[in-house]
RNA sequence: GCGCCCGUAGCUCAGCCGGAUAGAGCACUUGAUUCCUAAUCAAGGGGUCGCAGGUUCGAGUCCUGCCGGGUGCGCCA
């Protein structure tokens, strides 16, 4: 049960009955009525703003509405007390019995607690990573990869039918550059002396084995041919090699996709022409000349008539070109076709996870989605800000131009997949992220990965200990659900139960807002409440989790611990992180 | 010049479609270990929520204008 949804339903019903009884006018709009955990614990277990939001439309004083509502809520058995506070908040305090029943419910559900059917099978497409197939992934890419993957996990957990997608930019000039770079390495592999890699080609060493593999497959046949002959062949070979590299990188991170969509295929199948024709038939394309861009050196600028998409009709700042001067499509044009393709495949909800450098494209892409779907599809773009890589507080130099950048593989090798994944989710996507290679391995309070993992390990440890000292009890969650929990009456214990019971609400909020980082914060708070209780047991023997002299209390406490373990494990699973059983 | 993101404690950041006395960690000061892992916990100080207006019963949150930082700006992707 989502406690807050439950209370919200109860309150909605009570208000409607108040309307029916004439205490309030009929036909009130209750959409703004909310029940949420109050910031201050003294305000109770749940607070409702109904009286404040309804006062105006009901033309009553907030406190008067609150008093009416409080009077009715008082009658309910699960509610211990109701207070009208401040300007008209209705603060609810639930009985201990209610909370114990929720803990039992959590245990009876076991893994999957908090899962819901919010999405009701609604299809949603999450596109992430989508880096150009020109080299290995670096740490910056890891952020988008993890955010997209965790978001997809979360949405799937909450009842959405999620498709995880990677858009392969295998058309355009950059893959030609890739092909030329590989050809240089190929000549090298064939025994030619190539010297320094020419300016404008990719210099990275990762292309050396690709050149060698090409030589091994095709021998010397591309040495004497003109570029126009070898380029398409080498390009295909190189793209395959790069995608293999990228997939391996993603594997190392535990990130997977259901669909890889090829830009080249999209163009070849005429899908861009289709999208163009569709926009044209809606009279959203015209021949026009754009203003020169300001604030940057524009030596080469000359006014030119182009095919322009009326993006300004949909909130963009300027209309956008669809064709380059050589007649080929712009990146934006193929991207429109790609998003149109997603919509035609039956997705009304699209999420794109992009890097910070694409921030300027959000408006035009949203405009395009609105245009091609007649406003029936939504696009949410999650921009992931930069990752600042540090080593014990000192910035780690990264230079893509010199072909020297910290690869994802290096970082995963250094600190492990789980650490990378968790850290990438500890910030809002639009806030920059510091990633300190040294600090994320520290075993201390300020390392969130450790702190949460340690709580899980401690819970496991106590359960192991319980199995030793009270061998006659079964300690599976299902068995513990039947325990007598009434001794869990210490404020710290009840506080922990309440936090566990917020899990469904946290998941729902994170899923609807597309904000997986909220889970990381909740896990940290939960771990904190658990660590606190653990230490309390040192001062106060009555609160110790495992005590062979008192098997009934031990059973109840192990039930609580089992709940903690389940929720932390659930959260980590959504993040794709393996919970640890013990710290070493 | 324009767009987008950000501006909250000394530092790094939360703050959930506006809600009550603005929170956490780090750092600093002090304390807790014969006992389930002290790899932890507790207590304390620390704020004009960038600035100024506005909307509202109520603004860190919404609107407008400034200031500061980041990022991007026809045919590159």
């Amino acid at each position: 049960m989502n406690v807050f949804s439950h209370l919200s339903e109860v309150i909605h019903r009570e208000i409607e009955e108040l309307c029916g009884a004439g205490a309030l006018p009929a036909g009130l709009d209750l959409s703004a009525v909310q029940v949420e955990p109050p910031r201050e614990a003294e305000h109770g277990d749940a607070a409702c703003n109904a009286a404040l939001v309804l006062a105006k439309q009901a033309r009553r004083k907030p406190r008067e509405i609150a008093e009416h509502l409080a009077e009715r809520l008082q009658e309910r058995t699960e509610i211990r007390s109701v207070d009208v506070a401040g300007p008209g908040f209705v603060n609810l305090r639930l009985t201990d019995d209610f909370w114990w029943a929720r803990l039992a419910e959590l245990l009876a559900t076991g893994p999957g607690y908090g899962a819901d059917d919010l999405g009701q099978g609604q299809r949603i497409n999450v596109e992430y990573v989508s880096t150009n197939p020109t080299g290995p992934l670096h740490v910056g890419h890891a952020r988008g990869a993890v955010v997209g993957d965790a978001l997809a996990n979360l949405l799937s957990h909450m009842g959405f039918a999620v498709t995880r997608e990677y858009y392969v930019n295998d058309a355009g000039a950059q893959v030609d550059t890739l092909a030329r770079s590989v050809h240089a390495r190929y000549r090298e592999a064939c025994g030619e002396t190539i010297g320094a890699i020419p300016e404008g080609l990719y210099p990275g060493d990762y292309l050396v084995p690709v050149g060698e593999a090409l030589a091994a497959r095709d021998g010397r046949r591309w040495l004497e041919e003109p570029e126009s002959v070898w380029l398409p062949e080498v390009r295909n070979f190189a793209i395959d090699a790069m995608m293999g590299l990228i997939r391996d990188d993603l594997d190392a991170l535990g990130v997977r996709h259901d669909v890889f969509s090829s830009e080249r295929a999209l163009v070849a199948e005429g899908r861009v022409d289709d999208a163009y024709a569709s926009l044209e038939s809606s009279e959203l394309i015209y021949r026009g000349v754009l203003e020169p861009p300001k604030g940057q050196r524009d030596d080469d600028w000359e006014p030119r008539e182009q095919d322009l998409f009326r993006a300004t009709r949909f909130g963009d700042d300027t209309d956008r070109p669809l064709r380059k001067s050589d007649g080929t499509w712009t990146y934006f044009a193929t991207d429109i076709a790609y998003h149109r393709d997603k919509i035609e495949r039956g997705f009304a909800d699209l999420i794109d996870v992009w890097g910070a450098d694409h921030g300027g494209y959000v408006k035009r892409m949203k405009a395009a989605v609105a245009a091609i779907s007649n406003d029936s599809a939504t696009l949410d773009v999650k921009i992931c800000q930069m990752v600042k890589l540090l080593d014990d507080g000192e910035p780690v130099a990264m230079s893509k131009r010199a072909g020297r950048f910290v690869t994802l593989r290096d970082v995963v090798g250094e600190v492990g997949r789980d650490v990378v994944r968790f850290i990438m989710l500890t910030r809002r996507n639009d806030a920059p992220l510091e990633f300190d290679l040294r600090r994320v391995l520290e075993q201390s309070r300020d390392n969130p990965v450790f702190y949460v993992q340690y709580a899980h390990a401690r819970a496991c440890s106590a359960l192991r200990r319980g199995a030793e000292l009270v061998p006659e009890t079964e300690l599976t969650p299902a068995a513990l659900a039947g325990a007598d929990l009434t001794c869990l009456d210490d404020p710290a214990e009840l506080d922990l139960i309440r936090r566990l019971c917020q899990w469904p609400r946290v998941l729902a909020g994170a899923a609807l807002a597309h904000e997986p980082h909220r889970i990381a914060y909740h896990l940290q708070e939960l771990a904190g409440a658990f660590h606190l209780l653990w230490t309390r047991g040192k001062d106060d023997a009555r609160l110790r989790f495992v005590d062979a002299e008192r098997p009934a209390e031990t059973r109840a406490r192990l039930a609580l611990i089992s709940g903690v373990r389940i929720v932390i494990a659930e959260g980590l699973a959504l993040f794709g992180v393996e919970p640890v059983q013990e710290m070493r």
Side-chain angles (χ1 to χ4, degrees):
Chain A
M1 178 196 291
N2 181 333
V3 172
F4 300 92
S5 312
H6 164 73
L7 291 173
S8 178
E9 282 165 28
V10 166
I11 285 174
H12 275 75
R13 228 177 300 129
E14 297 292 356
I15 293 171
E16 274 156 20
E17 289 188 19
L18 281 171
C19 296
L24 287 174
L28 292 176
D29 173 16
L30 303 186
S31 57
V33 173
Q34 286 177 359
V35 181
E36 40 186 25
R39 262 203 297 244
E40 296 288 326
E42 300 90 63
H43 292 147
D45 296 334
C48 180
N49 64 352
L52 295 160
V53 238
L54 297 179
K56 199 172 213 168
Q57 40 171 328
R59 283 188 297 271
R60 299 278 201 291
K61 287 178 184 160
R63 291 208 56 117
E64 184 190 324
I65 301 175
E67 296 292 350
H68 274 111
L69 191 55
E71 198 177 315
R72 298 188 70 101
L73 290 170
Q74 205 94 54
E75 303 299 315
R76 299 191 62 93
T77 53
E78 76 267 42
I79 293 174
R80 188 170 74 196
S81 65
V82 185
D83 293 303
V84 176
F89 286 101
V90 176
N91 291 336
L92 305 176
R93 216 171 286 271
L94 300 160
T95 62
D96 294 350
D97 279 325
F98 177 83
W99 288 116
W100 293 326
R102 297 289 77 71
L103 175 56
E105 200 172 73
L106 185 170
L107 294 167
T109 308
Y113 171 69
D116 202 341
D117 194 27
L118 282 178
Q120 300 185 325
Q122 169 94 6
R123 302 187 64 197
I124 186 163
N125 184 292
V126 186
E127 182 208 325
Y128 52 108
V129 190
S130 297
T131 54
N132 298 330
T134 55
L137 300 180
H138 59 76
V139 269
H141 296 131
R143 187 171 186 187
V146 172
V147 166
D149 198 54
L151 184 53
N153 289 344
L154 174 61
L155 290 168
S156 168
H157 199 62
M158 301 309 277
F160 291 88
V162 180
T163 295
R164 303 148 183 266
E165 192 145 334
Y166 186 124
Y167 180 50
V168 185
N169 292 126
D170 51 5
Q174 88 287 355
V175 283
D176 292 346
T177 303
L178 173 73
R180 289 186 194 104
S181 309
V182 167
H183 191 261
R185 294 299 189 180
Y186 161 78
R187 290 196 289 122
E188 190 177 41
C190 291
E192 291 190 12
T193 309
I194 59 168
I197 299 293
E199 190 72 20
L201 296 187
Y202 300 122
D205 291 340
Y206 60 89
L207 293 178
V208 173
V210 182
E212 288 168 354
L214 182 63
R217 190 192 73 172
D218 292 350
R220 306 174 63 82
R221 60 187 289 202
W222 307 121
L223 286 177
E224 305 305 330
E225 300 284 1
E227 180 180 297
S228 59
V229 173
W230 60 253
L231 190 86
E233 285 291 334
V234 173
R235 187 173 56 203
N236 285 342
F237 184 85
I239 290 170
D240 286 349
M242 290 304 102
M243 285 311 294
L245 201 65
I246 289 169
R247 283 182 194 244
D248 288 348
D249 284 351
L250 292 173
D251 271 351
L253 197 55
V255 169
R256 62 171 194 84
H257 292 84
D258 302 313
V259 176
F260 286 79
S261 283
S262 159
E263 178 186 4
R264 181 170 293 277
L266 206 67
V267 175
E269 289 164 14
R271 305 303 306 280
V272 190
D273 303 274
D274 296 347
Y276 184 92
S278 159
L279 290 175
E280 201 167 38
S281 70
S282 305
E283 296 182 347
L284 293 172
I285 296 178
Y286 66 102
R287 296 289 291 175
V289 179
L290 289 174
E291 295 288 303
K294 291 175 179 166
Q296 63 173 16
R297 271 162 290 147
D298 46 3
D299 353 320
D300 296 335
W301 172 267
E302 44 187 87
R304 183 169 290 150
E305 193 171 68
Q306 294 172 289
D307 289 336
L308 299 174
F309 162 59
R310 296 190 190 276
T312 45
R313 285 229 189 132
F314 303 90
D316 201 358
D317 312 297
T318 174
D319 293 333
R320 304 289 178 179
L322 298 174
R323 279 190 215 270
K324 304 180 207 168
S325 49
D326 65 2
T328 59
W329 300 114
T330 60
Y331 177 83
F332 180 51
T334 55
D335 233 355
I336 293 175
Y338 174 49
H339 283 76
R340 182 166 180 269
D341 179 62
K342 291 197 250 190
I343 292 165
E344 287 185 341
R345 278 186 277 141
F347 297 102
D349 287 307
L350 308 177
I351 299 177
D352 287 1
V353 181
W354 292 352
D357 52 343
H358 286 62
Y361 292 85
V362 175
K363 272 192 178 182
R364 79 186 65 168
M365 206 60 244
K366 285 191 171 185
V369 166
I372 56 190
S373 74
N374 277 319
D375 264 324
S376 66
T378 66
L379 171 66
D380 185 16
V381 181
K382 310 301 285 183
I383 294 290
C384 291
Q385 285 300 325
M386 316 272 283
V387 175
K388 279 183 251 173
L389 197 63
L390 304 173
D391 188 6
D392 206 20
E394 294 300 314
V396 175
M398 278 192 280
S399 167
K400 197 168 183 179
R401 199 181 320 156
R404 186 187 75 241
F405 46 72
V406 181
T407 63
L408 166 60
R409 204 70 77 81
D410 291 343
V411 176
V412 170
E414 190 100 359
V415 304
R417 164 208 289 197
D418 286 348
V419 167
V420 173
R421 294 191 61 119
F422 194 96
I423 294 292
M424 291 298 175
L425 292 162
T426 52
R427 290 282 177 264
R428 241 178 35 226
N429 62 282
D430 49 11
L433 175 85
E434 284 190 2
F435 189 108
D436 192 313
L437 292 166
R438 201 74 59 87
R439 210 150 292 165
V440 297
L441 292 178
E442 268 173 21
Q443 300 195 324
S444 69
R445 177 70 179 90
D446 63 325
N447 176 4
V449 197
F450 164 75
Y451 191 70
V452 171
Q453 287 282 28
Y454 183 38
H456 186 271
R458 273 185 149 177
C460 291
S461 161
L463 287 163
R464 281 194 300 268
R465 186 112 175 115
E468 281 170 31
L469 294 184
V470 199
E472 63 279 8
T473 359
E474 208 192 329
L475 298 180
T476 61
L480 289 169
D484 176 7
L485 302 174
T486 54
C487 67
L488 300 176
D489 59 356
D490 186 87
E493 291 171 327
L494 284 161
D495 177 62
L496 189 52
I497 295 175
R498 287 188 196 98
R499 285 180 197 275
L500 292 174
C501 293
Q502 283 189 25
W503 184 240
R505 182 175 186 277
V506 169
L507 289 186
L512 293 176
H514 303 164
E515 290 187 353
H517 76 276
R518 292 190 198 180
I519 292 171
Y521 279 90
H522 190 255
L523 291 183
Q524 289 180 72
E525 284 172 18
L526 192 60
F530 177 56
H531 285 310
L532 180 159
L533 195 55
W534 184 289
T535 308
R536 286 271 314 278
K538 303 207 168 281
D539 302 332
D540 183 349
R542 285 188 320 107
L543 291 176
R544 288 173 58 87
F545 294 131
V546 180
D547 184 346
E549 305 296 305
R550 302 188 301 161
E553 281 84 348
T554 297
R555 229 167 110 70
R557 301 229 154 83
L558 290 179
L560 177 55
I561 286 177
S562 185
V564 170
R565 202 201 62 71
I566 288 170
V567 171
I568 292 180
E570 285 288 299
L572 292 178
L574 290 173
F575 280 11
V577 172
E578 191 74 30
V580 301
Q581 309 288 317
E582 56 186 333
M583 307 303 288
R584 275 167 296 145

